[in-house]
Amino acid sequence: MQLHFLGTTGYHPNRRRDTACLMIPEHGIILDAGTGIFRARDLIRTSSLDIFLTHVHLDHCIGLTFLFDILFERDVNSVRVHADPAKHRAIEEHLFAADLFPKRPDFELLPLGVQPVPLAGGGQLQAFPVQHPGGCLGMRLEWPDHRMAYVTDTTASADADYLNQIVGLDLLVHEAYFPDGWEDRAALTGHSCLSPVARIAAASGARQTWLVHLNPLLEHDSEIDLSPARQICPGLRIAEDGMVAEF
């Protein structure tokens, strides 16, 4: 199974990366709808799309306004957007307010909570809460032979409540917005420093861990010193838009 990284930065795009978006084309699954979602158009293989939103901060949902172009001349019969029901009003009344965006694309807005959601191919998605201002959901996606989790916009720690949700994975995708030494800023904004993410990854036992939601002010990977984090979890990798992970 392939996971495509379509957007790997946070807050705002830069010259190298767009904001949060991942895709599993085989099953028509998109995780978050940041600016990187425009790349999904060339990867569509299914007649339906399921878009799962971790939360509705703009860098994770603004790509819903791109759906007209993403679906243009693509044989897609239905689009389902799954989000925390407490955030539906923000999508309907604010993101698609007439003064901001005059025409809403055709999609069904469905609730996403603690109940598992069936996925194509005999899998399921289990959402779980993570700490972030305004709320956020982590996601575990599991098929008989493939297991991954996506955790973004939270402050990682060795005793994080979500650790038991991400054990036994083939692939972990976790945010790492700040370098070590920025712990106060990470706690204030609800984001993570590198070494706590490495500890989470090591504790989870994930076979591979990819870092996303990187600080957009850092335009080159050479500015990110992974050496201390890799002493904790040697397999850490930095994701970049256009990369593909096999799991």
Side-chain angles (χ1 to χ4, degrees), residues 2 4 23-28 40-49 74-76:
Q2 292 186 332
H4 290 246
M23 187 176 186
I24 303 174
E26 177 181 348
H27 295 311
R41 185 172 188 273
D42 295 332
L43 296 171
I44 292 174
R45 303 178 192 168
T46 55
S47 61
S48 64
L49 293 176
R74 293 295 181 265
D75 189 18
V76 175

Side-chain angles (χ1 to χ4, degrees), residues 207-218:
R207 294 180 182 178
Q208 50 180 312
T209 299
W210 293 79
L211 304 178
V212 296
H213 209 280
L214 305 170
N215 186 341
L217 297 180
L218 303 178

Side-chain angles (χ1 to χ4, degrees), residues 77-161:
N77 299 322
S78 67
V79 178
R80 296 176 289 266
V81 176
H82 307 256
D84 179 350
K87 311 302 182 185
H88 285 196
R89 182 179 175 187
I91 295 172
E92 296 283 22
E93 298 184 13
H94 299 287
L95 185 63
F96 290 106
D99 287 339
L100 293 179
F101 201 85
K103 177 63 176 176
R104 179 191 184 280
D106 185 15
F107 62 81
E108 183 180 7
L109 189 56
L110 298 174
L112 179 61
V114 297
Q115 297 300 317
V117 179
L119 301 174
Q124 71 172 26
L125 181 147
Q126 178 69 64
F128 50 91
V130 297
Q131 292 186 352
H132 187 64
C136 186
L137 296 171
M139 300 176 186
R140 181 185 178 108
L141 295 79
E142 189 162 355
W143 291 265
D145 299 317
H146 308 278
R147 297 169 300 278
M148 67 157 288
Y150 173 44
V151 181
T152 188
D153 288 53
T154 195
T155 306
S157 65
D159 59 351
D161 292 341

